[in-house]
């Protein structure tokens, strides 16, 4: 299975600032996904990032708040913009298995706290 | 609408006793189903998956799950709990609009008592 590295693993940020989270995969993958896990909650899909096209956002998430880049088949970034305490969450990236038959593999996540 | 329900938010068992984590799904079609585990300060690890092959699915670390279409259930079991099994468990289904998109259950926290 793919090995996924996320950076940073955790951060504490001031409100109003922005943070970019990186997701690096050790193999080429078609689809990458970004999830949010709010404290004590389950995971919610933010967007799907495909190389060569704009990210597709789920209901409730917008590009201005969560801009995503996907410059190649092994890398993606998620920026959390103009952060507020409500953005304190774990942000996880995942990738498709590559054989068209799930499952997804997940990184260890970025634990973000906003003061 | 497709959804997945984990019936217990917390389950507590003694080490060496069986584990049962319950999951029901609702769907107008047959989704793929998964169980993932999340240990503290870790990402998600796949335990097992069901993709319309055998209804009894064996996963890692001694876990298995049985797909019962008539009951729309996909319960996770393990014969004997180990201390290292203490974690959060998520039942997950694919969405009808995209097999690449997932819906997560609310999670079940498993506590293993010594």
């Amino acid at each position: 299975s793919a090995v996924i590295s996320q950076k940073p693993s955790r951060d504490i940020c001031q409100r109003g600032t922005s943070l970019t989270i990186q997701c690096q995969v050790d193999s080429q993958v078609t689809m990458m996904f970004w999830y949010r896990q709010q404290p004590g909650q389950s995971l919610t899909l933010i967007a799907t990032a495909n190389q060569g096209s704009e990210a597709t956002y789920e209901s409730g998430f917008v590009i201005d708040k969560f801009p995503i880049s996907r410059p190649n088949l092994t890398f993606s970034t998620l920026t959390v913009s103009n952060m507020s305490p409500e953005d304190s969450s774990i942000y996880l990236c995942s990738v498709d298995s590559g054989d068209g038959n799930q499952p997804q593999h997940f990184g260890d996540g970025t634990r973000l706290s906003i003061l | 609408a497709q959804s997945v329900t984990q019936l217990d938010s917390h389950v507590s068992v003694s080490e060496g006793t069986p584990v049962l984590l319950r999951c029901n799904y609702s769907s107008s079609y047959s989704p793929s189903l998964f169980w993932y585990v999340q240990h503290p300060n870790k990402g998600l690890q796949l335990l097992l998956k069901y993709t319309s092959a055998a209804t009894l699915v064996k996963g890692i670390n001694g876990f298995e799950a049985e797909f019962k279409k008539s009951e729309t259930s996909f319960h996770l079991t393990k014969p004997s709990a180990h201390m290292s099994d203490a974690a959060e468990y998520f039942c997950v289904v694919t969405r009808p609009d995209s097999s690449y998109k997932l819906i997560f259950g609310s999670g079940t926290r498993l506590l293993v008592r010594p």
Side-chain angles (χ1 to χ4, degrees):
Chain A
S1 62
V3 176
I4 303 166
S5 301
Q6 273 189 246
K7 291 182 180 179
S9 59
R10 61 180 65 243
D11 207 341
I12 301 173
C13 301
Q14 297 294 321
R15 69 176 65 202
T17 63
S18 299
L19 179 73
T20 296
I21 302 168
Q22 300 179 1
C23 181
Q24 178 76 52
V25 190
D26 68 343
S27 59
Q28 294 184 341
V29 295
T30 304
M31 306 179 95
M32 297 179 76
F33 305 88
W34 287 98
Y35 289 84
R36 181 176 72 183
Q37 186 179 23
Q38 294 177 300
Q41 302 295 316
S42 187
L43 278 76
T44 302
L45 180 64
I46 297 172
T48 303
N50 295 332
Q51 194 266 338
S53 64
E54 293 289 327
T56 303
Y57 290 82
E58 298 300 310
S59 176
F61 297 96
V62 294
I63 187 172
D64 290 346
K65 177 66 176 179
F66 297 102
I68 288 171
S69 77
R70 181 79 197 275
N72 57 51
L73 292 174
T74 63
F75 187 78
S76 178
T77 66
L78 169 76
T79 299
V80 186
S81 303
N82 188 24
M83 289 183 286
S84 66
E86 292 71 35
D87 294 320
S88 297
S89 297
I90 302 173
Y91 293 87
L92 300 103
C93 74
S94 72
V95 303
D96 70 311
S97 60
D99 63 1
N101 182 25
Q102 294 285 358
Q104 293 179 12
H105 301 283
F106 288 81
D108 281 349
T110 296
R111 285 149 181 80
L112 183 58
S113 297
I114 315 303
L115 302 179
Chain B
Q2 180 146 9
S3 68
V4 55
T5 302
Q6 292 184 243
L7 300 169
D8 307 293
S9 60
H10 294 80
V11 169
S12 180
V13 301
S14 297
E15 188 175 20
T17 64
V19 175
L20 171 64
L21 305 182
R22 298 183 295 167
C23 174
N24 285 100
Y25 70 96
S26 63
S27 176
S28 59
Y29 81 114
S30 297
S32 295
L33 299 104
F34 313 86
W35 277 97
Y36 283 87
V37 61
Q38 185 178 35
H39 287 94
N41 297 312
K42 288 290 188 181
L44 276 75
Q45 180 184 21
L46 177 72
L47 285 176
L48 50 83
K49 66 177 180 178
Y50 169 78
T51 54
S52 73
T55 57
L56 182 62
V57 182
K58 293 187 182 299
I60 62 171
N61 300 335
F63 284 95
E64 63 181 37
E66 185 173 8
F67 175 74
K68 292 186 177 181
K69 187 174 182 178
S70 61
E71 300 177 8
T72 60
S73 69
F74 190 56
H75 301 334
L76 182 71
T77 60
K78 183 174 181 177
S80 176
H82 191 273
M83 295 297 293
S84 61
D85 294 328
E88 187 87 16
Y89 292 78
F90 293 98
C91 182
V92 182
V93 303
T94 50
R95 280 170 36 173
D97 59 323
S98 169
S99 63
Y100 288 101
K101 296 186 178 181
L102 306 177
I103 301 173
F104 282 75
S106 55
T108 298
R109 182 165 296 277
L110 177 64
L111 173 65
V112 182
R113 304 185 301 272

